[in-house]
Amino acid sequence: MPSSTSDINDTNDTITINVNPKQVTQFDHRMTRLFYSSRPTHAECLLRCQILSFFNSMWQKYLIEQEQNAMVDPDNEHYQHLGLDLRHVVVEEHEIATHPMKPYRKRQRRDGVDDEHASNCSGNERKSDTSTDHASQDKSETSGSNVSDSNNSSDLWCTPLSGNDKLLIIKNGRTGTTLHQVRIPCVKIFGSIAFGLDGVGSDIDLAIPASVRNSQVDSHSDHDFQVSLLCAFERRLKFACAQSTKLKTPFRWHVERILHARVPILKLTEVGVTKGALSVDIGIQSTQMPTARLLRYYVSYDERASIFYTFIKRWSRARRINDAMYGYPNSFGYVMLVTKFLQLLHEPLIPVVVYDSAADNVIKRHSIEKFRRNRMTLLELAVAFFDFYHDFDFVSYQIDITTCGLQWKHGSDYNICHADQESMLIQDPSVANENVTRCLKPYNLRIMQAEMFRAYKCAVNADWNLLFEERDEERGNLHEIFQIYPPVNEYEQSLFSECIQSDDEHDLW
């Protein structure tokens, strides 16, 4: 049969795909449909907006009360110099409406983003994330699906990534003179929605500001402070729910405390409108949040990147190797692996960028302008990804998406308590000494790489159904795949022989 080939990385290796061009196209179409069919509808994004507005209003009331308490404190450094006569002080609240709190449509380019857009994909996050063609939005608000209006683009329903700030204006009640102004920060969305990789039924990850003047904390060190804020949030939520019952509003919440985790959160389940189908994770805004800026950049850089991120995420979940609670990487870990792979291709699909906190911009560290344009199919990307990582030397190398190439592993540079926490070392883009995959157990890394080889055999034969077949932990994975697709070279034959000779097949295979 005709075969398809592609360069996979900077070693100029070539992979032969054992299918004809029609099968390649069919596989690519299934991967594309997987992404677009799983995108949230207008109705779901509208529900997210309502929930974001609810929690933003609730927490801003708490922050405003804290600020009012500070006004009456004679020793408060922010108000001491004002000499406020509280008998004649008027406090006004004004919403700073930087964007409408409703779903908006984002144009997803089918042919990738040109370099001019890439070099200018920076600046104010809120402005870029919520900007939209309001005329087209108004025309299509009644349509729930993500539709394509041309051969080169598709429109995706998106959720604003933050509420609106408020402005407190403190005035002299007699003269109307403004004495002081305070900006009240808003609640923000992070996680998969902020990355642009959310789907139908995705959890909503919300980050509440820690205080009026210092909205962010160090999520890995300010543990007790975060717990105290989350407890305050829970008390406010109970009060708000009591008020909601009187007002007959529909949202009802079940609260689960996860306060002993390294990064504490509250896990909320909405049991009213959605009857338990919607989860909201509440955390504190942290200095690590700019990571979302990098990933949104990559997702918008080339359509294949967003599709491929979703593909790997769904595959790893189907094969039960995507769960930090059970000693595997979480979805963010897989996003890091995909990002590095797309940067390392012989013709890179995405550049290397970093977040400049001083300029509040995403800037290029290594451009791909001088490379030939990558024209790999989605199937070729899948085959190359699984081939690259199934025997990757995680003992010697670490993964860092903010630098070019690969770096030698330096576990001593990271916040690691014991050797098992550096089985796979992926540097957190926003915290240089944190390992994204510290939860990965050595034995699970072996299972994960065996799964990568199994996926390679499925992908190289364009076997979509077998690729996504749910993993049976009681059966051997490589033994099964070799029965369906026998070894084709000396390396695969050696793996097959090792599988046959294994005394305990379940131990690895």
Side-chain angles (χ1 to χ4, degrees):
M1 286 191 297
S3 64
S4 173
T5 64
S6 69
D7 294 328
I8 62 168
N9 53 39
D10 51 9
T11 63
N12 289 318
D13 292 333
T14 299
I15 288 178
T16 300
I17 299 177
N18 304 320
V19 295
N20 58 49
K22 182 178 179 180
Q23 291 173 291
V24 173
T25 301
Q26 289 174 340
F27 194 97
D28 283 11
H29 284 170
R30 294 192 74 168
M31 200 186 294
T32 302
R33 286 199 303 272
L34 180 70
F35 173 73
Y36 284 102
S37 64
S38 64
R39 291 294 302 172
T41 63
H42 174 270
E44 183 165 357
C45 289
L46 182 60
L47 178 63
R48 292 175 180 176
C49 290
Q50 293 169 346
I51 290 172
L52 175 60
S53 296
F54 172 78
F55 285 120
N56 189 56
S57 175
M58 185 192 84
W59 191 245
Q60 284 183 331
K61 287 180 181 178
Y62 170 80
L63 294 177
I64 291 171
E65 288 178 10
Q66 297 296 104
E67 198 65 20
Q68 290 172 334
N69 290 337
M71 292 179 197
V72 301
D73 182 358
D75 297 324
N76 185 275
E77 60 179 332
H78 300 295
Y79 291 97
Q80 190 178 43
H81 68 285
L82 295 177
L84 296 178
D85 185 350
L86 297 178
R87 295 172 300 173
H88 306 295
V89 166
V90 175
V91 180
E92 297 179 355
E93 297 179 19
H94 297 275
E95 182 175 1
I96 305 174
T98 55
H99 57 272
M101 286 305 299
K102 62 180 181 179
Y104 67 95
R105 282 197 144 167
K106 175 184 175 183
R107 183 64 51 86
Q108 176 78 36
R109 290 188 54 171
R110 289 285 174 99
D111 56 350
V113 177
D114 59 24
D115 190 67
E116 180 181 1
H117 173 85
S119 62
N120 292 306
C121 189
S122 61
N124 186 279
E125 178 181 10
R126 181 178 299 162
K127 182 177 179 181
S128 63
D129 287 339
T130 58
S131 60
T132 183
D133 183 349
H134 293 290
S136 63
Q137 175 179 331
D138 292 340
K139 291 179 182 178
S140 56
E141 271 194 351
T142 57
S143 171
S145 61
N146 299 298
V147 298
S148 173
D149 58 3
S150 72
N151 291 329
N152 290 327
S153 64
S154 291
D155 287 340
L156 306 177
W157 282 114
C158 299
T159 308
L161 298 185
S162 67
N164 284 316
D165 289 354
K166 279 190 174 181
L167 185 66
L168 285 189
I169 302 178
I170 304 169
K171 292 184 176 182
N172 184 309
R174 290 177 173 177
T175 64
T177 305
T178 298
L179 303 175
H180 193 54
Q181 293 185 357
V182 181
R183 192 175 184 119
I184 307 299
C186 62
V187 174
K188 296 182 179 180
I189 290 178
F190 67 105
S192 61
I193 298 177
F195 302 160
L197 297 174
D198 53 313
V200 174
S202 289
D203 292 354
I204 305 175
D205 298 307
L206 295 182
I208 60 176
S211 65
V212 170
R213 291 170 182 81
N214 297 297
S215 60
Q216 296 182 335
V217 299
D218 184 333
S219 63
H220 297 296
S221 63
D222 298 330
H223 185 274
D224 291 343
F225 180 51
Q226 293 179 75
V227 169
S228 67
L229 287 172
L230 291 173
C231 290
F233 181 93
E234 184 179 9
R235 290 192 296 271
R236 299 295 298 197
L237 179 59
K238 289 180 180 179
F239 176 77
C241 288
Q243 293 296 106
S244 297
T245 301
K246 295 177 182 178
L247 298 173
K248 298 183 179 180
T249 54
F251 296 127
R252 303 287 183 273
W253 302 99
H254 170 74
V255 181
E256 178 186 358
R257 291 181 167 195
I258 307 179
L259 302 181
H260 295 292
R262 195 156 176 258
V263 178
I265 63 169
L266 295 177
K267 183 172 285 292
L268 312 181
T269 304
E270 203 288 309
V271 295
V273 176
T274 64
K275 302 186 184 303
L278 176 67
S279 294
V280 180
D281 290 349
I282 305 293
I284 311 300
Q285 290 180 19
S286 73
T287 53
Q288 287 76 47
M289 289 187 67
T291 300
R293 298 281 292 276
L294 302 182
L295 295 178
R296 285 185 74 82
Y297 176 91
Y298 288 134
V299 165
S300 65
Y301 194 86
D302 190 297
E303 182 200 35
R304 289 171 294 174
S306 56
I307 292 173
F308 197 66
Y309 281 128
T310 301
F311 168 76
I312 295 299
K313 179 179 175 180
R314 297 286 288 271
W315 163 78
S316 60
R317 287 182 173 177
R319 297 302 296 173
R320 298 182 179 180
I321 54 172
N322 181 333
D323 195 331
M325 288 185 63
Y326 292 95
Y328 290 103
N330 58 15
S331 293
F332 183 61
Y334 282 100
V335 166
M336 294 293 99
L337 290 174
V338 170
T339 301
K340 193 63 188 179
F341 163 75
L342 296 179
Q343 293 171 340
L344 288 174
L345 291 167
H346 184 58
E347 295 167 357
L349 192 71
I350 56 177
V352 176
V353 299
V354 295
Y355 175 71
D356 184 342
S357 58
D360 192 27
N361 281 347
V362 172
I363 59 175
K364 288 182 184 176
R365 176 168 282 179
H366 295 283
S367 174
I368 61 173
E369 297 173 18
K370 296 184 179 179
F371 287 90
R372 288 182 302 173
R373 175 171 166 75
N374 184 299
R375 300 192 179 279
M376 294 173 69
T377 67
L378 292 168
L379 177 58
E380 288 171 333
L381 287 175
V383 172
F385 175 85
F386 294 129
D387 181 68
F388 180 71
Y389 280 119
H390 90 264
D391 63 349
F392 185 85
D393 186 2
F394 286 107
V395 172
S396 301
Y397 296 103
Q398 64 188 43
I399 302 295
D400 180 1
I401 69 167
T402 63
T403 59
C404 189
L406 292 172
Q407 292 75 45
W408 294 108
K409 194 173 185 177
H410 296 287
S412 59
D413 295 340
Y414 290 80
N415 184 17
I416 289 172
C417 299
H418 49 81
D420 283 1
Q421 292 181 336
E422 57 175 295
S423 300
M424 177 189 294
L425 214 165
I426 302 179
Q427 180 173 304
D428 190 317
S430 58
V431 189
N433 66 340
E434 293 294 336
N435 178 18
V436 169
T437 50
R438 60 183 285 142
C439 61
L440 178 63
K441 306 303 180 186
Y443 173 71
N444 287 351
L445 174 59
R446 299 171 68 200
I447 294 177
M448 182 179 166
Q449 291 197 284
E451 281 293 325
M452 292 280 190
F453 180 78
R454 178 191 180 279
Y456 163 77
K457 292 290 284 182
C458 293
V460 82
N461 291 282
D463 193 334
W464 179 277
N465 293 333
L466 187 61
L467 180 66
F468 279 90
E469 183 180 85
E470 187 172 305
R471 181 164 70 99
D472 184 348
E473 298 182 12
E474 299 301 320
R475 292 188 303 172
N477 297 315
L478 294 192
H479 191 277
E480 170 203 27
I481 201 66
F482 279 131
Q483 289 179 334
I484 301 171
Y485 298 112
V488 296
N489 54 40
E490 186 175 331
Y491 172 72
E492 291 189 8
Q493 186 60 51
S494 67
L495 283 182
F496 180 60
S497 298
E498 186 178 350
C499 174
I500 294 297
Q501 295 170 7
S502 176
D503 293 329
D504 185 0
E505 177 179 303
H506 181 62
D507 181 53
L508 176 61
W509 310 113

